[in-house]
Amino acid sequence: MKNPKVIIVMGSQSDWPTLTETAKILKDFKISFEAKVLSAHRTPGETSKYAEGLEKRGVKVAIAAAGGAAALAGVMAAHTSIPVIGIPIEATSLNGMDALLSTVQMPPGVPVATVAIGKMGAKNAAYLAMKILALSDKVLNAKLKKFKKMQADKIKKIKIIP
Ligand code: RP5
């Protein structure tokens, strides 16, 4: 996509089935984004270079997902001043707890806004990114408010018959 407002990076192609949840929501709300595989461990130079170029390109939010000893979101945050949202991926026998702790426990001054492990987090990463964009986008802000109301209306309609 041209002039992405949001970027999604993942440590491996194996993370993509989770990240499709993020992509789907961004597409539904017509947010321009690009998605890339970049690894903090396997392609450290390319990762830092990519992160360093984001602000100049007009990107407003970065979403970074990785599993295992997940350094990707932290490395992205170290190399850019735009907000970084981290998604811990379930990729090892620890079911994402390893990635959650690696992503969320950033030292002060280099924050990563960490969402839940796996697909639930992948969805919330998209909503959180849009909330950040909506701070300076009235149309998107109105769309998100409408979505919130729709969610509430759905709940209110539910009737439990014991
Ligand atoms: C991480 O290691 C990736 O983000 C992925 O979640 C995990 C496994 O990667 P592959 O071995 O599938 O490439 O860096």
Side-chain angles (χ1 to χ4, degrees), residues 10-15 39 41-42 65-68 89 91:
M10 64 211 90
S12 167
Q13 194 169 4
S14 63
D15 299 325
S39 167
H41 307 95
R42 295 164 179 156
I89 302 287

Side-chain angles (χ1 to χ4, degrees), residues 9 54 67 132 143:
V9 285
L54 293 176
I132 295 169
K143 268 190 191 175

Side-chain angles (χ1 to χ4, degrees), residues 6 31 41 54 95 103 109 141 152 159:
V6 176
I31 305 297
H41 307 95
L54 293 176
N95 299 322
T103 306
N141 194 21
K159 283 198 173 68

Side-chain angles (χ1 to χ4, degrees), residues 22-162:
T22 314
K24 188 184 173 304
I25 293 166
L26 293 175
K27 270 186 202 163
D28 285 350
F29 279 81
K30 299 194 176 8
I31 305 297
S32 58
F33 69 95
E34 70 181 18
K36 259 179 119 57
V37 176
L38 278 173
S39 167
H41 307 95
R42 295 164 179 156
T43 58
E46 287 79 358
T47 302
S48 53
K49 206 173 155 198
Y50 180 71
E52 276 160 12
L54 293 176
E55 200 177 350
K56 250 193 183 163
R57 293 175 59 203
V59 177
K60 302 295 180 207
V61 187
I63 297 173
L72 184 58
V75 168
M76 292 291 292
H79 289 275
T80 183
S81 46
I82 67 170
V84 176
I85 300 171
I87 309 170
I89 302 287
E90 307 157 73
T92 73
S93 47
L94 296 180
N95 299 322
M97 277 307 289
D98 41 3
L100 171 65
L101 296 178
S102 315
T103 306
V104 78
Q105 287 290 79
M106 286 299 289
V110 191
V112 169
T114 306
V115 291
I117 298 167
K119 290 193 174 183
M120 198 163 83
K123 290 177 186 173
N124 267 346
Y127 292 119
L128 182 54
M130 292 193 291
K131 280 185 172 235
I132 295 169
L133 295 179
L135 292 171
S136 56
D137 182 337
K138 280 185 185 162
V139 177
L140 180 59
N141 194 21
K143 268 190 191 175
L144 288 172
K145 282 201 169 111
K146 197 174 158 195
F147 168 74
K148 207 170 185 194
K149 190 182 172 308
M150 270 166 53
Q151 264 193 322
D153 289 346
K154 257 191 203 169
I155 299 290
K156 287 180 202 164
K157 271 187 202 149
I158 298 171
K159 283 198 173 68
I160 302 289
I161 301 157

